[in-house]
Amino acid sequence: MTIDKAASGVLPEPPEATVSASQRERLLTAAVDLFYRHGVGVGANALCKSAGISKKSMYQLFDSKDALLVAALERRVLADAAFLLPPPDFGPGPRARLLHVFRQLEKFARSPEYMGCAFLAPQVELKDPAHPASLVAARVKRQHLEGFFRTEAERGKATDPDFLTRQLAILYDGASTRAGIGADDLQGLAVTTAETLIEAAGITD
Amino acid sequence: MTIDKAASGVLPEPPEATVSASQRERLLTAAVDLFYRHGVGVGANALCKSAGISKKSMYQLFDSKDALLVAALERRVLADAAFLLPPPDFGPGPRARLLHVFRQLEKFARSPEYMGCAFLAPQVELKDPAHPASLVAARVKRQHLEGFFRTEAERGKATDPDFLTRQLAILYDGASTRAGIGADDLQGLAVTTAETLIEAAGITD
């Protein structure tokens, strides 16, 4: 972008702005990692130290720690969705597309770094559905995961698409949480359980 | 107890000890409530204020806030187990006994005060399976809930009792967590989903 502007005769951005953009990036990267590993209670000091920036810079970049938490959740959405959801050109029908999510979840759970759903934990920790981060986390789950379940349940002509959506959301949240706390490694469990529920809902393909 | 001792000629306990016992009770009651409503991060000040005791008394009663958290979890076990599990003389077979838990969970979720499983949330919040409170919470779930699921699955001659136990544990944790964060009211959902899994496991009665 800077090169293009320079080439077109526009002055390059002043060094200060460039530093801020890279600081913002470092802070967001640190925030995604630390909030996930340690929870929403991570302090501003730890965030700044990990990002290698000053507290003053942090508050120039984000109005509050809550605003940084919201931005960190939004930053994480695309990576998680790309891993969990099948690509648009994924061949098979609704049943296989739904099962793909739970196959990926079992893979997620194999990683020693896996600590459960990054959007569920903040809601459990904050205990306040009206908190900006709870609102964003709940919206992300509704749009990306429950929305996907519902679309496929409808395409697969489930007896009751809303009901199957609720069931798969509970399965996803229960499985991811138990993997996150180390109570279950999910291997051989998430996909098979999803299969049972999908079949009971009348989806055959 | 004091009266018995007095009647048998033993001196009654000094007033200081009596105060301590009542202080312990007040502190534990406050801790059960505050840790559940606000999470493991509740401060010593809030706990002491709610219990109406001094910080010095708190640390005379419990070595640390973690020790108080552990005691609060242990205090809660019997009440939750009595509500969720069927009494020993509960008539019907394993299928009905298993479903009883999910029927009670749906009732739990109807209360505006319900914030999910009191033993799962601390583990999500602490993010440390080796923390004393995580160890207690995990043990409580294994002994009281998963132990119950396994016993009934075996009594009902499930195809694979361990597998059904894992499935029902995930259903319980997913359902209770989603109810706790306000994502689902569970009505008509938890029992029916448990039914599907129990039937798929080959338990008919």
Side-chain angles (χ1 to χ4, degrees):
Chain A
M1 181 73 89
T2 310
I3 294 168
D4 285 344
K5 280 183 182 172
S8 65
V10 179
L11 283 176
E13 301 198 0
E16 202 186 313
T18 310
V19 171
S20 283
S22 106
Q23 282 183 330
R24 188 174 197 281
E25 191 53 37
R26 288 209 309 275
L27 181 55
L28 263 178
T29 304
V32 168
D33 176 51
L34 290 184
F35 283 130
Y36 185 62
R37 283 199 288 133
H38 303 296
V40 300
V42 164
N45 285 339
L47 289 160
C48 290
K49 193 178 167 193
S50 171
I53 69 168
S54 70
K55 238 167 152 176
K56 190 180 161 196
S57 301
M58 171 177 154
Y59 286 111
Q60 277 171 344
L61 290 162
F62 294 94
D63 287 342
S64 64
K65 210 187 75 178
D66 283 349
L68 174 57
L69 172 58
V70 165
L73 289 175
E74 279 167 346
R75 160 66 60 105
R76 202 179 161 121
V77 178
L78 293 182
D80 276 16
F83 182 79
L84 283 170
L85 305 182
D89 60 350
F90 187 87
R95 182 176 172 281
R97 291 173 62 80
L98 288 168
L99 290 179
H100 177 84
V101 172
F102 294 94
R103 193 161 291 121
Q104 293 299 95
L105 176 58
E106 289 193 15
K107 272 191 208 163
F108 243 156
R110 281 202 282 276
S111 157
E113 279 82 44
Y114 188 65
M115 303 194 68
C117 172
F119 302 94
L120 181 63
Q123 296 180 76
V124 172
E125 294 165 33
L126 290 165
K127 303 191 191 301
D128 175 9
H131 188 287
S134 300
L135 292 171
V136 167
R139 175 174 52 73
V140 164
K141 288 290 274 281
R142 270 199 311 276
Q143 285 180 350
H144 290 266
L145 196 66
E146 292 153 56
F148 170 78
F149 289 156
R150 189 168 289 105
T151 302
E152 299 300 326
E154 283 166 0
R155 282 184 57 208
K157 305 201 191 316
T159 327
D160 184 342
D162 275 341
F163 192 73
L164 180 60
T165 298
R166 290 170 72 198
Q167 288 183 309
L168 294 179
I170 275 180
L171 172 60
Y172 183 88
D173 280 346
S176 61
T177 306
R178 287 186 68 80
I181 62 171
D184 198 307
D185 65 8
L186 305 190
Q187 303 311 298
L189 183 66
V191 174
T192 308
T193 307
E195 240 168 353
T196 301
L197 299 176
I198 290 165
E199 269 169 35
I203 298 182
T204 49
D205 182 45
Chain B
M1 183 75 87
T2 310
I3 293 170
D4 286 348
K5 281 182 184 173
S8 64
V10 179
L11 283 176
E13 300 196 2
E16 203 186 310
T18 313
V19 171
S20 283
S22 105
Q23 281 182 330
R24 188 174 198 281
E25 191 52 38
R26 288 210 308 276
L27 182 56
L28 264 178
T29 305
V32 168
D33 176 51
L34 291 184
F35 283 130
Y36 185 63
R37 284 199 288 131
H38 303 296
V40 299
V42 164
N45 284 339
L47 289 160
C48 290
K49 193 177 168 196
S50 171
I53 69 168
S54 70
K55 240 168 152 175
K56 191 181 161 197
S57 302
M58 171 177 155
Y59 287 112
Q60 278 171 345
L61 290 162
F62 294 93
D63 288 342
S64 63
K65 211 188 74 179
D66 283 349
L68 174 58
L69 172 59
V70 165
L73 289 175
E74 278 167 348
R75 161 66 59 103
R76 200 179 163 121
V77 178
L78 291 182
D80 276 16
F83 182 79
L84 283 171
L85 305 182
D89 60 351
F90 187 87
R95 183 175 171 279
R97 291 173 61 80
L98 288 168
L99 291 179
H100 177 82
V101 172
F102 294 94
R103 193 161 292 120
Q104 294 299 93
L105 177 58
E106 289 193 15
K107 271 191 209 162
F108 243 157
R110 279 202 283 274
S111 157
E113 279 84 42
Y114 188 65
M115 303 194 69
C117 172
F119 302 93
L120 181 63
Q123 296 181 77
V124 172
E125 292 164 34
L126 291 164
K127 303 190 191 301
D128 175 9
H131 189 285
S134 300
L135 292 171
V136 168
R139 176 175 53 73
V140 164
K141 288 291 275 278
R142 268 198 313 274
Q143 284 180 351
H144 290 266
L145 196 65
E146 292 153 57
F148 170 78
F149 289 156
R150 190 170 288 104
T151 302
E152 298 301 327
E154 283 165 0
R155 282 185 57 208
K157 305 199 190 315
T159 327
D160 184 343
D162 275 341
F163 192 73
L164 180 60
T165 298
R166 290 170 72 200
Q167 287 183 308
L168 295 178
I170 275 179
L171 172 60
Y172 183 88
D173 280 345
S176 61
T177 307
R178 287 186 67 79
I181 62 170
D184 198 306
D185 66 8
L186 304 190
Q187 303 311 300
L189 182 66
V191 175
T192 307
T193 307
E195 240 168 355
T196 302
L197 299 177
I198 291 165
E199 270 170 33
I203 298 182
T204 49
D205 182 43

